[in-house]
Amino acid sequence: MSSPLSKPRSAVVIGGSFAGLCIARTLADHVEQVTVLDRDRFPDGPRLRTGIPQARHLHVLITSGQRALDRLFPGLMAELYDRGAVPVAAPTDLLSLSPNGWRERFPATHTLVGASRELLDWTIRQRLSSDPRIRFLAAREVVGLLPGDDGASIVGVEFRVRNGGSGTLRCVADLVVDASGRGSRTPDWLAALGYGRPEETRIDAGLGYASRRYRLAPGVADGWKNIMVMPKPPRITRAGVLYPIENGRWMVTLGGFGAETPPTDEAGFLEFTRSLRSPLIYEAIRDAEPDGPIHGFRRTANHRRHYETMPRWPEGFLVVGDAACAFNPVYGQGMSVAAQTAVVLRDHLRTHRGRFGRAAQVAVAGCSATAWTIATGTDLRFTAAGTVRPGRRGRLSHWYFDRASDVADRDPYVLRVLTDVQHLVRPPAALAHPRVALRVLRGPTRPPLSAPPVTPLSSRR
C-alpha cells in the first residue's frame, strides 16, 4: 500500500447509486483506477433496476444539483434535453397551490429538469463507462472493510459474487467510499473493527407516497408544465404533483402522512387524486393513458449518521450520500446534495494530496447541513415525527418561514429568495436579510388567488 504522503493509485466505490456515480467521477481525476461495486446488475439502457426502488417515483433536479453536475460532467444538462428531458421554468410553468392559496406565476428565476431517474442514471453511467479509469463490477455484494496493518486505515473491501457461490474475494484500494444508500452496513463494519458506532438522528413524519406514469390526452397541459397541490397541515395532509418526464410522459406522485398514505390500486389511486385540495391533477389524468403500474413507497424518514463526530475515524475511508445522510425524498434534495458533495470532495482532494480521512467526512457532512435543516424543519410539523419537538426558537422559525411562503405567493422578490433557498443556492439566512424581512413582516399586499392561474404569464400581459 501507499505511504500516507504518496499519491493514491486506486479507489473502490461501494454502490453504483447516484452518489456513487458522482463520486466515481471525482475520484477518477486523483487515482489511476476506480472500481464501482454494486450488488445489482446494471441495465443496458435507460431502464429501471431493482436496486433503486425509489426510482419509480418523482425525481427533481434543482438548480444547485444542475450546476454541480455540469461541473462534474460538462454539457450534461444539454445532453439530457437532447434525450428528451423537459425544461420546466419555475415559477412560470407551475400551477402551485400552497397552504395559503394559489401562487402567482411570476417570470422564471430557475429551471427544473423534467426527467426520469433512469434517464439521469443511464446518461451519467454512459459517460463513466467510456472513461478507461473507471470500471463497473455488477452483482458484487460488499460484506466488509479491510483494515490496514496500522490499525488506523481502511485498505479495501471484502465482497462476494451474488449467485456465484459462498466464497468471498478482496479488492484492495487506497481509498474506499461507501455510497450504498440507506441500507449501508458501515455502522456494523466500523463497530466490528473497534471504531464504535456513529450517533444517529432520525426524524420520520410518517409520509408515504404512490406514483404512476401517464400519457396525457392532447391539449390537457396547454399553458403549464407542472401542477403542485400542497398539504395544509395539520388539517389536510394529502398532496400531489404532476410533472413531465422524457418521451411525452408524465409522472404523478401522491403523498400523505400517517393513515393518509395513498393506495396503490387503480380505483383508490384515482379517488385519492380526486380528494386533493384541488381537482386539477385528477382532471388531467382521469382520461389519460397509464404508462405503467402504480408503485408505493414508505421509506421516507430523514436519517443522519453523524460519522464526522466519531472519536476515531479511519484514514482512506469516506461515507457519502444516503449512507451518511438521507432526506425525506419528497423535498427533491438528495441528488443535488450528492452532486454537490462530489464537487466539494474534488476540491478537498486537490488540497489534501489526494487523501481523505476525518477532514473529508466533515466536509461531506457540511454539504448536507442546509438540506437537512429544510427537510427536518418541515417534517417536524407533523405529529408522526416522534418525540422531537421544536423549542421556542424553532417555533418562531416555523412561523417566519410560513409567513415568508405566504408572502412569496404574491411577491416576486420574496419568492425568488425563497426559491433560491429551496434550490440550495442560498442559505436559509438569506430569508432574514433586512430587505426580505421587511416584506415578510409587512405581510401580503393583496389577497391570495382563489383560482389557479391557468393562463400562461405571457398571455396575461
Side-chain angles (χ1 to χ4, degrees):
M1 296 298 297
S2 57
S3 67
L5 296 179
S6 65
K7 180 180 178 180
R9 294 182 297 175
S10 62
V12 166
V13 178
I14 307 170
S17 62
F18 192 89
L21 298 178
C22 293
I23 290 297
R25 174 62 191 88
T26 286
L27 293 174
D29 289 338
H30 297 275
V31 298
E32 298 172 6
Q33 182 74 64
V34 179
T35 301
V36 180
L37 301 174
D38 196 280
R39 67 191 309 273
D40 200 9
R41 295 188 182 275
F42 297 106
D44 58 0
R47 288 187 290 276
L48 294 165
R49 65 186 181 100
T50 58
I52 310 180
Q54 214 273 325
R56 296 177 174 85
H57 305 275
L58 176 64
H59 280 70
V60 177
L61 190 57
I62 58 179
T63 300
S64 58
Q66 296 173 43
R67 293 175 180 175
L69 285 172
D70 261 336
R71 291 181 64 183
L72 297 168
F73 307 96
L76 181 66
M77 296 304 109
E79 185 175 350
L80 289 171
Y81 291 134
D82 287 342
R83 294 187 175 201
V86 181
V88 180
T92 313
D93 289 339
L94 277 62
L95 298 179
S96 180
L97 179 57
S98 77
N100 305 294
W102 288 98
R103 177 162 288 171
E104 296 186 27
R105 296 169 70 182
F106 299 115
T109 57
H110 292 266
T111 299
L112 299 168
V113 181
S116 66
R117 173 63 184 270
E118 60 264 31
L119 178 63
L120 291 166
D121 281 4
W122 168 248
T123 304
I124 292 175
R125 201 163 58 243
Q126 276 194 308
R127 292 259 193 131
L128 298 178
S129 296
S130 64
D131 190 330
R133 301 169 298 180
I134 301 172
R135 64 172 179 165
F136 289 88
L137 297 181
R140 267 71 168 181
E141 182 175 10
V142 176
V143 296
L145 304 173
L146 299 178
D149 293 336
D150 58 5
S153 62
I154 300 300
V155 297
V157 299
E158 187 175 13
F159 68 93
R160 66 179 180 88
V161 179
R162 300 191 73 189
N163 301 320
S166 59
T168 59
L169 302 170
R170 293 186 168 194
C171 184
V172 177
D174 298 294
L175 304 175
V176 176
V177 180
D178 179 7
S180 59
R182 287 178 178 260
S184 167
R185 296 175 58 192
T186 285
D188 296 334
W189 295 338
L190 290 179
L193 295 176
Y195 289 94
R197 293 177 177 273
E199 293 184 4
E200 300 188 25
T201 302
R202 182 182 176 87
I203 296 176
D204 188 355
L207 173 72
Y209 53 90
S211 299
R212 193 178 207 180
R213 301 180 185 195
Y214 289 89
R215 293 188 182 274
L216 302 187
V220 167
D222 286 352
W224 52 265
K225 294 182 180 180
N226 181 200
I227 301 176
M228 296 179 60
V229 179
M230 303 178 192
K232 189 173 183 177
R235 188 171 62 88
I236 301 174
T237 62
R238 295 185 175 191
V241 179
L242 175 62
Y243 194 74
I245 59 175
E246 68 276 4
N247 301 324
R249 298 173 298 162
W250 295 74
M251 176 79 77
V252 173
T253 293
L254 307 176
F257 296 85
E260 293 287 296
T261 54
T264 55
D265 64 283
E266 181 90 24
F269 188 85
L270 285 174
E271 177 57 28
F272 190 99
T273 309
R274 192 186 64 81
S275 73
L276 298 177
R277 293 173 58 214
S278 167
L280 278 185
I281 297 178
Y282 172 75
E283 292 169 354
I285 68 171
R286 63 184 173 188
D287 296 320
E289 175 190 354
D291 190 51
I294 302 168
H295 295 279
F297 194 78
R298 299 292 183 268
R299 200 176 181 186
T300 61
N302 302 281
H303 188 191
R304 189 169 191 173
R305 298 179 172 109
H306 299 274
Y307 291 114
E308 72 281 3
T309 64
M310 291 182 66
R312 293 179 59 225
W313 187 256
E315 291 295 316
F317 184 56
L318 187 68
V319 187
V320 301
D322 285 358
C325 185
F327 314 100
N328 185 336
V330 74
Y331 302 112
Q333 303 165 316
M335 293 191 302
S336 294
V337 171
Q340 288 179 299
T341 298
V343 171
V344 167
L345 181 62
R346 182 177 65 176
D347 296 338
H348 174 88
L349 291 173
R350 286 174 176 170
T351 57
H352 289 77
R353 298 178 61 87
R355 311 295 301 186
F356 53 62
R358 180 180 296 280
Q361 196 64 54
V362 170
V364 166
C367 291
S368 302
T370 297
W372 177 263
T373 297
I374 294 172
T376 59
T378 302
D379 280 0
L380 281 171
R381 299 163 186 253
F382 295 91
T383 56
T387 59
V388 181
R389 291 290 182 269
R392 180 180 299 177
R393 183 175 180 180
R395 293 194 298 271
L396 178 62
S397 176
H398 289 169
W399 174 87
Y400 184 82
F401 187 83
D402 288 344
R403 178 88 167 185
S405 298
D406 185 18
V407 173
D409 289 343
R410 288 152 276 175
D411 185 318
Y413 179 76
V414 175
L415 178 58
R416 176 165 191 162
V417 177
L418 178 64
T419 307
D420 285 349
V421 172
Q422 293 170 333
H423 283 244
L424 306 180
V425 297
R426 283 207 232 181
L431 287 168
H433 187 278
R435 185 178 175 186
V436 180
L438 180 62
R439 290 171 176 257
V440 170
L441 297 175
R442 187 173 57 199
T445 58
R446 53 184 179 273
L449 298 177
S450 59
V454 293
T455 305
L457 180 69
S458 58
S459 300
R460 289 186 276 122
R461 289 177 173 174

